[in-house]
Amino acid sequence: MGRDVTHFEHLGRLLNLERQEEKDRLGAERKALSLQERQARGLTLLDVEAKEEDLGLGGRVLVTLERADRARLPVKLWSGDLVEVRPRKAEVSEPARAVVSRGTPTTVQLAFDRAPPPWVSDGRLVLDIVPNDVSFERARTALRRMAARDKGVERHCREVLLGNTPPRFEREAPWTPSRTLNPEQQAAVSRALSARDFLLVHGPPGTGKSHVLAEVAVQAARTGARILCTAASNAAVDHLLELCLDAGLSCVRVGHPARISPRLQEHSLDALVEAHPDRVLSRELFDEGFALLGYARRQRTQGRSRERFQNAREGKAEAYKLFDEARALERKAVDAVLSRAQVVCATCTALEGSTVSSLQFDLCLFDEATQATEPVSLIPWLRSERVVMAGDPFQLPPTVLSERAAKEGLSRSLFERLLQDHGDPVKQLLREQHRMSEALMAFTSATTYGGELRAHPAVAQRTLAEVLRPGVDVEAPPFLFLDTAGKGLDEETEENGESLLNRGEAELLVARARVLLEAGLPPEGLALITPYAAQARLLRELLPDPAVEVDTVDAFQGREKDAVLLSFVRSNGGQQLGFLKDLRRLNVALTRPRRHLFAVGDSATLTGHATYGALVDHAHATSAWRSAWEWNTT
């Protein structure tokens, strides 16, 4: 379906709606809720104290915080979150701002671009998560720039994006794989290399879509192409970076150091530039310049003679000249580092940062593309001649807070729209998955992927028993559905909130977790997930083991564990399912485990929806159904 440039104006209006919704929600919650209520909603973290302070890359100050009792933090903060910091018991005119550089269940590390106020290291603190306007502004700019592309190659790209011009493919050329690939993966690489405009790689869970992108990078690098690896999230970019590094490619990771995985810091632009000789010389020039400014200030304060004023003017002018030379050397160092890289890795919005805003690429590899809104996705399209997008439209879409913006198209990814506009010829489906056993895979393959998935032989028969202590007696088939129908384990609304929880289901999940841990399952191999944030918070309270991951289904997308325990929460007389009716959320939930899925739910409520009814039927048909009335939790 073709469209004109007013499409970009429409997306701009939706983006404005989304930004306003975020501001309105934040303002309303701050006004209406107490600090404790905001913490319960995951908006604020209370009563943390500075544990240690360190110096990070680029002169950033790193402060690690924890609670006085070293207990698990009630709010989960993610690397890259922007926070405002203020003292718990005192008033300050302006809070300090920082970026979360690392988070564990019991600590959070903040990166300050400049030395934080003294009170950050003295007493209890409050952390408020705040929205970042930079991403919105960069997405809006991308919309305007794409709409303005009206000549030559740029116009062709715009018309392909709008669905008015079909994408072009060259004749596929022979190439030699650098790693073992299955037939669909090889076909995806071949088609990606022949695409002159774009290709969509549809990768269901565990099918290795990121590995396909890495192989495309290897093949393109052999031809001398300059490659961009991108995604909406820092975690996805870091994953692509690791795969490219493993393949022997020269890579640079662009972005705020606090948003880059610690194990990959040595490949960051900041770290590589700091080690460059031109940067070493620029630091010396900066030091000399600051010394001259100090001399100039002393000349002006020690007397008012003409000679002293002349010395001050000359010293100040010489200092600014040195600063200009230092900045030129810094820019030279940045350019040198970037020019040597075969692959530049950055999030979509980081591409509009000043250090790389002028770079253009021959090929863009865009991972997890179905998790980015269209305005954000346009940023890398502005920087590359060809784009290969990998994602799965049957998993969760981009998060959009505004119901109106979502309904009018902002929650639809560019990947999905291009597939709708141009059809299956622009897509390559990956069919062999390397995560789940055949038994775990069966339901989602049949109901979501048309029965086309197959399990790789190495994982097809894997079981949880293989990672438990030998000889333990634990019932742990690939799939178990524990039915709570009739038990009275009703859902309830969280106090002072809107999210739902189910105490009975939470207790069953925690009891199951303890059984598996006692049977020898490593804590890092276990996750407890649920669609509802309130239930996740309750589970963290009941199972205060920082080594066991507890999170919402949405937040756990892209992750996997040997064993996953799932609470559906919904249990009511009206068969109301709320946002569980979005079957992409169900697909994500069912495809996180490698060896064992333990799902708890009320069949009387769930079976009001045909697909959930089919899941319960599948449990019966495969002898995976158990009644909570007879279930032994010990």
Side-chain angles (χ1 to χ4, degrees):
M1 180 183 72
R3 45 183 61 79
D4 59 29
V5 292
T6 59
H7 171 72
F8 301 120
E9 297 173 8
H10 172 67
L11 288 174
R13 288 191 292 271
L14 300 185
L15 204 59
N16 291 337
L17 286 174
E18 175 67 4
R19 184 68 188 96
Q20 192 60 50
E21 177 70 19
E22 187 172 2
K23 285 184 175 181
D24 290 347
R25 285 195 186 192
L26 183 62
E29 287 166 338
R30 285 189 172 184
K31 185 176 181 180
L33 302 177
S34 67
L35 285 174
Q36 288 75 17
E37 289 168 340
R38 282 158 52 188
Q39 180 168 261
R41 296 274 190 95
L43 305 170
T44 296
L45 179 59
L46 301 176
D47 299 326
V48 288
E49 301 174 344
K51 169 188 174 185
E52 59 185 40
E53 188 172 309
D54 198 2
L55 194 63
L57 293 173
R60 296 174 178 89
V61 179
L62 304 177
V63 180
T64 300
L65 310 172
E66 66 179 5
R67 299 183 73 162
D69 57 4
R70 298 184 179 180
R72 186 175 190 141
L73 299 179
V75 175
K76 186 162 186 176
L77 296 174
W78 296 92
S79 175
D81 282 347
L82 183 65
V83 296
E84 288 184 345
V85 186
R86 52 191 172 87
R88 179 73 159 94
K89 296 294 186 180
E91 292 293 330
V92 292
S93 58
E94 187 174 341
R97 284 206 166 195
V99 174
V100 175
S101 59
R102 185 158 57 249
T104 74
T106 58
T107 66
V108 57
Q109 186 184 73
L110 302 183
F112 294 84
D113 284 338
R114 57 183 62 87
W119 47 258
V120 168
S121 302
D122 185 20
R124 291 182 295 167
L125 302 171
V126 176
L127 273 58
D128 286 318
I129 301 173
V130 296
N132 192 339
D133 280 329
V134 173
S135 296
F136 281 92
E137 290 303 325
R138 290 177 176 178
R140 270 194 283 258
T141 299
L143 289 168
R144 290 194 293 266
R145 289 179 58 197
M146 188 60 75
R149 298 185 116 191
D150 202 35
K151 295 181 181 179
V153 174
E154 291 186 346
R155 181 182 177 87
H156 170 80
C157 173
R158 188 190 71 183
E159 294 306 300
V160 169
L161 274 171
L162 290 172
N164 300 324
T165 301
R168 303 163 298 173
F169 290 86
E170 297 174 341
R171 185 174 182 178
E172 294 181 11
W175 53 280
T176 302
S178 67
R179 68 192 74 198
T180 302
L181 300 172
N182 62 47
E184 292 88 9
Q185 290 174 330
Q186 290 189 41
V189 173
S190 292
R191 297 194 65 203
L193 295 172
S194 70
R196 293 183 62 189
D197 298 301
F198 76 90
L199 177 74
L200 306 178
V201 178
H202 181 185
T207 53
K209 54 185 179 293
S210 300
H211 288 269
V212 167
L213 294 184
E215 181 64 24
V216 175
V218 170
Q219 299 302 324
R222 290 175 179 175
T223 69
R226 193 170 201 188
I227 303 157
L228 167 65
C229 285
T230 192
S233 72
N234 283 284
V237 173
D238 284 346
H239 181 49
L240 263 184
L241 171 60
E242 284 188 291
L243 293 176
C244 289
L245 289 170
D246 290 345
L249 297 177
S250 169
C251 306
V252 174
R253 174 68 161 92
V254 174
H256 194 299
R259 293 183 168 96
I260 301 172
S261 172
R263 67 183 182 278
L264 298 171
Q265 290 281 352
E266 64 183 292
H267 303 285
S268 71
L269 180 62
D270 284 53
L272 294 170
V273 168
E274 283 295 320
H276 194 276
D278 285 332
R279 170 57 179 148
V280 174
L281 181 55
S282 79
R283 285 199 299 269
E284 295 174 358
L285 292 177
F286 273 124
D287 290 342
E288 188 177 344
F290 283 121
L292 279 171
L293 281 181
Y295 166 78
R297 282 193 294 270
R298 289 192 299 274
Q299 288 294 306
R300 295 182 70 90
T301 58
Q302 291 175 358
R304 300 183 63 82
S305 68
R306 179 178 298 178
E307 181 182 358
R308 288 188 182 277
F309 275 113
Q310 178 68 19
N311 290 340
R313 282 195 298 269
E314 290 177 354
K316 189 175 181 180
E318 183 62 24
Y320 287 149
K321 183 179 178 182
L322 289 173
F323 290 157
D324 288 341
E325 292 177 13
R327 292 188 186 98
L329 283 170
E330 279 189 339
R331 182 69 249 181
K332 186 179 175 185
V334 169
D335 291 343
V337 169
L338 291 172
S339 67
R340 290 198 300 265
Q342 295 170 296
V343 181
V344 173
C345 301
T347 61
C348 298
T349 52
L351 290 172
E352 290 300 296
S354 58
T355 54
V356 292
S357 59
S358 62
L359 293 184
Q360 291 294 130
F361 300 89
D362 302 305
L363 174 66
C364 169
L365 305 175
F366 190 164
D367 205 2
E368 302 294 357
T370 49
Q371 295 180 32
T373 63
E374 182 167 341
V376 169
S377 297
L378 291 177
I379 297 173
W381 277 75
L382 290 162
R383 311 297 292 279
S384 181
E385 295 179 7
R386 299 179 291 140
V387 181
V388 179
M389 305 177 79
D392 182 7
F394 297 132
Q395 295 190 64
L396 286 166
T399 300
V400 175
L401 299 178
S402 168
E403 291 184 9
R404 180 181 168 189
K407 185 177 180 180
E408 295 185 18
L410 191 60
S411 64
R412 181 177 60 173
S413 68
L414 179 59
F415 185 108
E416 291 176 273
R417 186 177 67 72
L418 290 174
L419 183 57
Q420 179 186 27
D421 286 355
H422 296 287
D424 285 344
V426 301
K427 180 190 79 171
Q428 177 65 45
L429 175 66
L430 305 180
R431 293 178 174 85
E432 185 171 84
Q433 61 86 20
H434 298 251
R435 176 184 301 169
M436 301 169 284
S437 67
E438 284 183 339
L440 278 175
M441 178 193 74
F443 182 78
T444 52
S445 177
T447 57
T448 306
Y449 300 104
E452 293 199 63
L453 297 188
R454 64 180 184 276
H456 187 276
V459 305
Q461 303 304 319
R462 64 179 7 170
T463 65
L464 190 65
E466 295 168 344
V467 295
L468 299 181
R469 195 167 55 251
V472 297
D473 183 20
V474 175
E475 184 183 17
F479 176 45
L480 274 178
F481 178 80
L482 184 61
D483 193 347
T484 65
K487 285 284 287 184
L489 306 184
D490 295 337
E491 66 189 55
E492 57 185 284
T493 303
E494 182 182 34
E495 186 177 358
N496 300 317
E498 298 177 355
S499 186
L500 298 177
L501 56 86
N502 188 312
R503 298 182 189 278
E505 286 193 12
E507 290 170 359
L508 288 168
L509 242 65
V510 169
R512 177 65 173 176
R514 289 178 173 145
V515 166
L516 294 180
L517 293 171
E518 290 170 3
L521 178 65
E524 60 272 15
L526 175 64
L528 281 63
I529 65 174
T530 175
Y532 291 92
Q535 184 78 338
R537 288 190 281 271
L538 175 60
L539 288 168
R540 291 191 193 104
E541 291 176 13
L542 296 177
L543 186 68
D545 186 340
V548 176
E549 287 200 57
V550 179
D551 224 323
T552 63
V553 172
D554 296 47
F556 206 69
Q557 180 165 252
R559 308 291 311 288
E560 59 184 82
K561 294 286 184 178
D562 278 331
V564 172
L565 314 185
L566 167 65
S567 167
F568 284 116
V569 175
R570 300 311 299 256
S571 180
N572 55 73
Q575 294 187 319
Q576 299 298 312
L577 293 185
F579 69 7
L580 264 66
K581 290 185 289 187
D582 186 340
L583 297 180
R584 292 172 294 189
R585 185 164 283 107
L586 175 64
N587 186 39
V588 170
L590 299 182
T591 55
R592 299 308 94 200
R594 293 189 286 259
R595 301 173 183 273
H596 176 64
L597 173 64
F598 179 80
V600 179
D602 178 0
S603 66
T605 298
L606 296 175
T607 53
H609 189 287
T611 301
Y612 286 90
L615 177 64
V616 175
D617 290 342
H618 173 75
H620 280 289
T622 57
S623 300
W625 181 90
R626 303 289 184 274
S627 171
W629 288 94
E630 303 169 352
W631 183 252
N632 184 1
T633 59
T634 60

